[in-house]
């Protein structure tokens, strides 16, 4: 009986000893986790606010803040585990191996994220711009960390991976406030050249959307196979580009018809030598 009591007391002493030792460690680990989580949230929130004050794109600031929060939480969890007396070297190795495997599996995705960060930082285009990229043209609806969304003139939505956007040529038609509209109008060789040129000038001068500066240009650009071709270049606000393009083309045709100026079809004149007929 005495031996049994001795064993019970021995185990109770051990339980109290380990309970006191590991209880303090568990309480410490919980405290580290709770306080560390609070600090991580506050720090990531502070960084996000600083980036927003610096007028950094909201998408980028939210992404950077979330990455920092994740990294800080990893550090907090490792610190809490280490406080329990567990060797964290193996955990770090496992995390490193897992990170490498995930990186290799998602390298395309990370490439899109990296390209998205570059696009957001350097801003070759913005939401609302009309651009041509990756073989597609449209108005930019959204720029995320993974892809760029275009809305085509016929109302189709196109998602282009950011890696494709950043790696190719980007044509931004909306970057500048003004654009040049180029025309080529042909008249017949028998038509009055001066009258045609004066008529083109009248049409341009009558359109208030066409800017006075930079000055418009009208000149004979080519003596073609079937026509004398005028090169016409006018400057307009970017928003007026297509309106001026279509309206001027229609106006030239109607005015040329009214003044008897021909717009010839492609043709070929064949002359027969009567001595060899």
């Amino acid at each position: 009986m005495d031996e049994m009591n001795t064993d019970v007391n021995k185990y109770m002493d051990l339980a109290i000893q380990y309970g006191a030792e590991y209880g303090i460690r568990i309480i410490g680990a919980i405290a580290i986790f709770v306080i560390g989580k609070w600090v991580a949230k506050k720090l990531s929130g502070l960084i996000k606010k600083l980036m927003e004050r610096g007028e950094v794109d909201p998408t980028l600031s939210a992404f950077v803040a979330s990455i920092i929060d994740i990294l800080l939480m990893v550090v907090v969890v490792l610190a809490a585990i280490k406080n329990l007396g567990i060797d964290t070297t193996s955990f770090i190795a496992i995390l490193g191996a897992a990170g490498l495997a995930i990186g290799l599996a998602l390298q395309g995705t990370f490439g899109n994220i990296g390209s998205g960060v570059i696009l957001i930082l350097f801003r070759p285009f913005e939401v609302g711009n009309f651009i041509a990229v990756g073989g597609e043209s449209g108005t930019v609806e959204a720029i995320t960390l993974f892809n760029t969304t275009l809305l085509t003139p016929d109302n189709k939505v196109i998602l282009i991976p950011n890696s494709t956007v950043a790696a190719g040529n980007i044509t931004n038609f909306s970057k500048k406030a003004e654009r040049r509209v180029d025309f080529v109008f042909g008249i017949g060789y028998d038509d009055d050249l001066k009258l045609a040129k004066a008529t083109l000038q009248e049409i341009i001068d009558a359109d208030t959307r066409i800017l006075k500066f930079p000055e418009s240009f009208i000149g004979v650009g080519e003596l073609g196979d079937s026509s004398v071709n005028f090169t016409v270049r006018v400057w307009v606000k970017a928003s007026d580009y297509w309106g001026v393009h279509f309206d001027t083309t229609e106006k030239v045709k109607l005015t040329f018809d009214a003044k008897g100026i021909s717009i010839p079809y492609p043709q070929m004149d064949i002359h027969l030598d009567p001595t060899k007929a």
Side-chain angles (χ1 to χ4, degrees):
M1 188 67 179
D2 292 336
E3 292 180 0
M4 183 179 295
N5 290 334
T6 302
D7 291 338
V8 170
N9 291 333
K10 179 179 178 182
Y11 288 124
M12 288 182 63
D13 291 339
L14 288 174
I16 293 172
Q17 179 183 350
Y18 284 111
E21 180 180 352
Y22 285 102
I24 294 174
R25 290 187 179 184
I26 292 172
I27 293 173
I30 294 174
I32 290 173
F33 179 79
V34 172
I35 296 173
K37 184 178 180 180
W38 180 82
V39 171
K41 290 292 183 184
K42 289 292 183 181
L43 186 58
S44 61
L46 176 62
I47 292 173
K48 185 178 179 180
K49 288 182 179 179
L50 291 175
M51 295 180 72
E52 289 175 350
R53 288 178 183 175
E55 297 184 352
V56 178
D57 188 273
T59 304
L60 179 60
S61 61
F63 174 73
V64 172
S66 63
I67 291 296
I68 292 174
D69 185 49
I70 292 171
L71 293 176
L72 290 175
M73 284 306 301
V74 170
V75 173
V76 169
V77 170
L78 290 175
I81 293 174
K82 188 173 183 179
N83 190 74
L84 293 173
I86 301 173
D87 187 7
T88 58
T89 304
S90 58
F91 285 96
I92 295 174
I94 292 171
L95 287 174
L100 178 60
I102 294 172
L104 291 174
L106 300 177
Q107 56 183 336
T109 301
F110 289 141
N112 287 329
I113 293 174
S115 299
V117 171
I118 292 173
L119 293 175
I120 292 171
L121 285 176
F122 292 98
R123 295 180 178 274
F125 53 82
E126 298 177 356
V127 173
N129 288 167
F130 189 89
I131 66 171
V133 64
E136 303 290 348
S137 299
T139 302
V140 179
E141 278 207 322
I143 308 169
T144 68
L145 289 171
F146 298 97
N147 52 56
T148 298
T149 305
L150 298 184
L151 180 65
T152 66
D154 56 347
N155 215 33
K156 292 186 295 187
V157 176
I158 301 176
L159 301 179
I160 305 177
N162 284 334
S163 57
T164 301
V165 176
N169 295 329
I170 302 172
T171 303
N172 191 337
F173 298 98
S174 305
K175 191 71 172 180
K176 299 295 184 180
E178 301 168 353
R179 287 185 63 187
R180 193 180 75 185
V181 190
D182 295 345
F183 301 97
V184 176
F185 299 112
I187 66 171
Y189 273 92
D190 295 331
D191 291 307
D192 190 329
L193 186 71
K194 293 183 178 180
L195 176 61
K197 187 173 183 178
T199 301
L200 290 172
Q201 188 66 59
E202 291 173 3
I203 294 172
I204 290 173
D205 291 341
D207 195 332
T208 57
R209 295 170 297 179
I210 296 176
L211 304 177
K212 302 302 180 183
F213 183 83
E215 294 182 359
S216 302
F217 171 82
I218 303 174
V220 177
E222 180 187 17
L223 300 177
D225 295 335
S226 305
S227 62
V228 178
N229 296 325
F230 281 96
T231 297
V232 180
R233 296 169 180 163
V234 300
W235 288 88
V236 300
K237 293 181 179 179
S239 58
D240 292 330
Y241 180 90
W242 287 111
V244 171
H245 173 83
F246 292 122
D247 292 345
T248 302
T249 302
E250 179 180 347
K251 187 67 175 178
V252 167
K253 176 64 171 68
L254 295 174
T255 307
F256 275 14
D257 288 346
K259 293 190 176 185
I261 302 171
S262 65
I263 300 177
Y265 299 99
Q267 59 186 339
M268 179 182 296
D269 293 334
I270 300 176
H271 301 276
L272 297 178
D273 188 346
T275 61
K276 296 181 180 180

